[in-house]
Amino acid sequence: MTSYKIALLPGDGIGPEIIAEGRKVIDAASECFGFGVDWVPYDNGAEKYLATGELITEDTLKEIKDSCKAIYLGALGDPRCRPGILEKGILLKTRFYFDQFVNLRPIKLLEGASCPLKGKGPKDIDFTVIRENTEDFYVGIGNRAGIGNSKQELEVVRSMYKVKFGLDIETDGSEIAYQIGVMSRKGAQRVIRYGFELAKKEGVDKAHFVDKANVLSDIYGFWRETVDEVSKEYPQITPEYMFVDAITMWFVKNPEWFKVVITPNMFGDIITDLGAMIQGGLGLAPGGNINPDGVSMFEPIHGSAPKYKGQNVANPLATIWAGAMMMKEIGQEKTHGAIVSAIETIIKEGKVRTKDMGGRNSCSQMGDAVASRVRELAS
Ligand code: IPM
Ligand code: MN
């Protein structure tokens, strides 16, 4: 029997509760579909950080790299820690360490899920956002400089390249702050190609590319130029360019135009929260951080909702769906299909609903419902 080792990182806030339900559903599916999952728990998150100062070490990451097939993550973030500490020190650190250059976010309105857009239904909202996940303004280099002269050295290290900036700053009149966005030719090419490949696989003749080349023309002009270049390999697919401000408008007005949307990192972060809302809310939006040749990580796109911690009221469906995506990525396509269908029938029937869906069921009741539906679908 095939068996997979999967790193399990529950994280903070509602993380442990939602990940327990995701695990429950995958365990149920594994019994039905004849494969094994060996969960390897990691306790990185706020508690560990507050107690020891540790975020996630290179040793831990290496251990995961050497032993696990994928990572299943709950959520990170805790009000007791400075904003960004856990997010940057654990989440982004892991995305970059494993070079998970694709952030795959399906925007699919399941039947029965409530959509805030008047007159739009499941047929209109069904597309995938591919967000670049290792570059752009997320490389984390920037600083402040006080009035006068200063020298600063900044560095970005990736497996494909290393780049150093030596800055001589002279500022007069005010203290300043700056942030450098970095995009590499190879980094852009690989995610753009991933997007074209998905469009090809889905048989669509158009793919949308997001930028802000009218203003931030160095970095996003480079992105556009790279799209043009890669598009020559895919003569059957027409690239359509959209500015990020405009695409937020079209997501609301004409979501049915979109099938595959490829975007640089920061714009992808922003437009996928909007995407989550039109697919029925953050409780229903999953994501995968993918390295097609390495270790990928799956998580709900929502945060740790500290307010609801320990109350068993959070909606675990985004996490369960992310678990389904993980199964697809490791080669268990049937399990993916069964879990997504189970989620869809439960939403459609509307009998089991968590608080955010206007119901009174608990997080674990939702997990139980999906797990038993998966068993029925498999039998
Ligand atoms: C997301 C989150 C993260 C991001 C944060 C928590 C670092 O908002 O996955 O969309 O900005 O990528
Ligand atoms: Mn986000």
Side-chain angles (χ1 to χ4, degrees), residues 123-364:
K123 275 200 288 305
D124 304 306
I125 301 170
D126 186 4
F127 61 95
T128 306
V129 176
I130 290 159
R131 163 185 174 193
E132 199 289 324
N133 212 27
T134 59
E135 303 193 317
D136 197 16
F137 289 97
Y138 272 65
V139 294
I141 56 172
N143 209 337
R144 297 178 181 204
I147 295 176
N149 296 332
S150 54
K151 272 191 194 304
Q152 296 178 355
E153 290 256 332
L154 304 161
E155 192 180 51
V156 178
V157 182
R158 291 289 178 270
S159 55
M160 292 192 300
Y161 61 90
K162 192 163 102 187
V163 49
K164 264 195 191 146
F165 296 86
L167 301 180
D168 261 320
I169 304 176
E170 200 184 315
T171 167
D172 185 5
S174 177
E175 180 193 12
I176 59 136
Y178 62 92
Q179 193 85 41
I180 298 180
V182 174
M183 188 177 291
S184 67
R185 180 74 71 183
K186 289 182 177 170
Q189 281 168 342
R190 63 182 182 176
V191 72
I192 290 165
R193 199 167 277 125
Y194 189 98
F196 274 112
E197 284 295 327
L198 183 72
K200 187 169 146 188
K201 205 167 115 205
E202 297 200 341
V204 300
D205 57 5
K206 217 177 357 190
H208 288 89
F209 291 87
V210 184
D211 64 60
K212 186 72 188 175
N214 49 346
V215 179
L216 303 171
S217 42
D218 292 294
I219 187 162
Y220 301 119
F222 186 77
W223 168 262
R224 232 180 228 221
E225 185 185 299
T226 311
V227 173
D228 272 337
E229 178 198 307
V230 177
S231 77
K232 298 203 176 77
E233 298 165 28
Y234 301 89
Q236 70 280 32
I237 300 160
T238 311
E240 300 241 344
Y241 301 97
M242 274 195 176
F243 295 135
V244 63
D245 47 350
I247 208 169
T248 59
M249 174 177 79
W250 298 120
F251 269 16
V252 171
K253 190 157 186 301
N254 294 101
E256 66 280 1
W257 286 354
F258 302 100
K259 286 296 160 221
V260 178
V261 177
I262 301 109
T263 168
N265 204 345
M266 189 174 70
F267 298 150
D269 177 45
I270 299 166
I271 66 173
T272 52
D273 268 26
L274 175 57
M277 278 302 132
I278 66 172
Q279 73 181 129
L282 279 169
L284 292 177
N289 303 275
I290 294 175
N291 177 338
D293 306 308
V295 176
S296 300
M297 173 166 72
F298 298 82
E299 53 171 334
I301 87 165
H302 62 67
S304 61
K307 205 165 98 186
Y308 298 113
K309 177 181 173 165
Q311 295 178 28
N312 197 19
V313 295
N315 184 347
L317 289 177
T319 310
I320 295 172
W321 192 345
M325 292 172 71
M326 176 165 76
M327 293 297 103
K328 184 171 179 181
E329 189 65 24
I330 65 177
Q332 294 294 335
E333 297 256 354
K334 275 194 195 149
T335 292
H336 169 261
I339 297 176
V340 176
S341 311
I343 294 173
E344 192 155 24
T345 31
I346 284 166
I347 296 177
K348 199 154 99 189
E349 287 170 0
K351 282 191 227 139
V352 184
R353 284 177 300 149
T354 46
K355 196 177 151 104
D356 62 312
M357 298 165 81
R360 288 161 175 253
N361 291 103
S362 65
C363 177
S364 50

